[in-house]
């Protein structure tokens, strides 16, 4: 079954600020709308402790354990599976930043590896106790340059592999049937993927799926993504999926600060920034993933399709920016790439998901 996935990790914060969602003019729970439109899996990020020492939330959805369990329950109650995305950080982890949780800052070597194993296993035990078992588990988020810096940087490949192995062990000993995903960014960079997976090959890590971020305005053409998915799936003998993607349905910033998608990005995608263009892109992307040889292309996750233009729902609040030492303004950066319009009505790309 092709995964038609949605990452709506921001949703609790959005709903708290008044976000409402509509399917053909009828107000419904967003999880129910996604299910009725054809979505079958929800991707949820998990941060270790996304709060300052004074208890102030960092923002970005405040995806702590309790929030993530609540969202996973809503997914399951609406007939969908979920992917659990361990960031192994208190806030955003990506190729440019992989900060250790505050509680682990003094740990290294065997103590850090032990913390990764214990946290992974105990977290998944809690999910199981709640009757929630993820279909997939990401061990790290966009780990192109490693995780848990500086210990797990890619130049320290042996230590990176040991940390990943402890995360894997925590998954395997707790939820044996959950597929394990390694997720890198820039899904069109075949040279990078070749090197990364060649570097870890000697350590015989027991993973199942290679996840790729693919944003057409940053990463290039679908044909390049297809080449990489085909090549790396054959080289590593693994399934592949698009772990994150998005595209704009308008270049209007919708009153939001920090918006990513503009006329420049529209030009780079080759698709018009319209409802029709958004649907055409997503339809082409699914068709391309289906064409990966030997049925190794297993699905797509759309990133934050429900992030409506509510300016108080930002990727980072003041405390989050201070924690990350990030001087960028914490804005609502993705509103014009949602699969709902500014009024919360499902876009055609979502309405027709079941036909893709």
């Amino acid at each position: 079954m092709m995964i038609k996935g949605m990452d709506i990790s921001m949703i609790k914060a959005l709903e708290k600020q008044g976000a409402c969602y509509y399917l053909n003019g009828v107000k419904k729970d967003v999880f129910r709308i996604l299910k009725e439109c054809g979505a079958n899996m929800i991707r949820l990020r998990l941060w270790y402790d996304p709060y300052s020492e004074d208890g102030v939330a960092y923002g970005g959805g405040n995806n702590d354990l309790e929030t993530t369990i609540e969202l996973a329950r809503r997914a399951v109650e609406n007939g969908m599976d979920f992917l659990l995305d361990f960031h192994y950080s208190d806030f955003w982890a990506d190729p440019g930043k992989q900060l250790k949780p505050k509680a682990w800052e003094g740990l290294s070597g065997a103590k850090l590896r032990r913390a990764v194993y214990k946290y992974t296993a105990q977290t998944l035990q809690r999910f199981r106790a709640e009757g929630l078992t993820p279909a997939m588990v990401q061990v790290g988020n966009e780990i192109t340059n490693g995780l848990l810096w500086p210990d797990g940087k890619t130049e320290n490949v042996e230590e990176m592999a040991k940390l990943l192995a402890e995360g894997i062990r925590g998954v395997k000993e707790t939820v044996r049937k959950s597929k394990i995903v390694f997720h890198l960014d820039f899904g069109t960079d075949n040279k990078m993927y070749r090197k990364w997976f060649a570097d870890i090959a000697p350590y015989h890590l027991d993973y199942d799926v290679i996840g790729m971020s693919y944003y057409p305005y940053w990463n290039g053409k679908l044909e390049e993504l297809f080449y990489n998915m085909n090549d790396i799936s054959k080289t590593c003998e693994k399934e592949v999926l698009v772990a994150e993607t998005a595209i704009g349905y308008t270049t209007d910033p919708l009153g939001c600060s920090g918006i990513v998608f503009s006329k420049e990005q529209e030009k780079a995608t080759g698709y018009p920034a319209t409802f029709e263009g958004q649907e055409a892109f997503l339809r082409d992307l699914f068709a391309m993933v289906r064409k990966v040889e030997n049925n190794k292309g297993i699905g797509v996750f759309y990133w934050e399709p429900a992030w409506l233009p509510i300016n108080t729902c930002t990727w980072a609040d003041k405390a989050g920016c201070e924690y990350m030492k990030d001087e960028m303004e914490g804005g609502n950066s993705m509103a014009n790439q949602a699969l709902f319009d500014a009024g919360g009505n499902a876009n055609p790309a979502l309405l027709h998901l079941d036909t893709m």
Side-chain angles (χ1 to χ4, degrees), residues 54-122:
D54 297 327
V56 179
Y58 290 155
N62 303 322
N63 299 106
D64 59 10
L65 180 58
E66 297 306 319
T67 295
T68 308
I69 286 173
E70 178 183 331
L71 299 183
R73 182 178 295 111
R74 289 175 68 182
V76 171
E77 287 176 348
N78 281 280
M80 294 178 285
D81 288 327
F82 69 99
L83 179 157
L84 183 61
D85 176 11
F86 281 93
H87 279 228
Y88 295 112
S89 183
D90 287 337
F91 207 32
W92 299 103
D94 57 45
K97 50 188 176 293
Q98 294 278 340
L99 300 181
K100 292 178 185 176
K102 294 181 292 293
W104 298 359
E105 286 176 354
L107 303 182
S108 61
K111 289 183 178 179
L112 182 59
R113 296 194 294 270
R114 176 66 182 173
V116 170
Y117 163 73
K118 188 175 180 181
Y119 167 62
T120 306
Q122 288 181 345

Side-chain angles (χ1 to χ4, degrees), residues 240-253:
V240 289
L241 58 76
V242 176
E244 295 181 18
T245 195
I247 194 170
Y249 67 89
T250 180
T251 58
D252 187 333

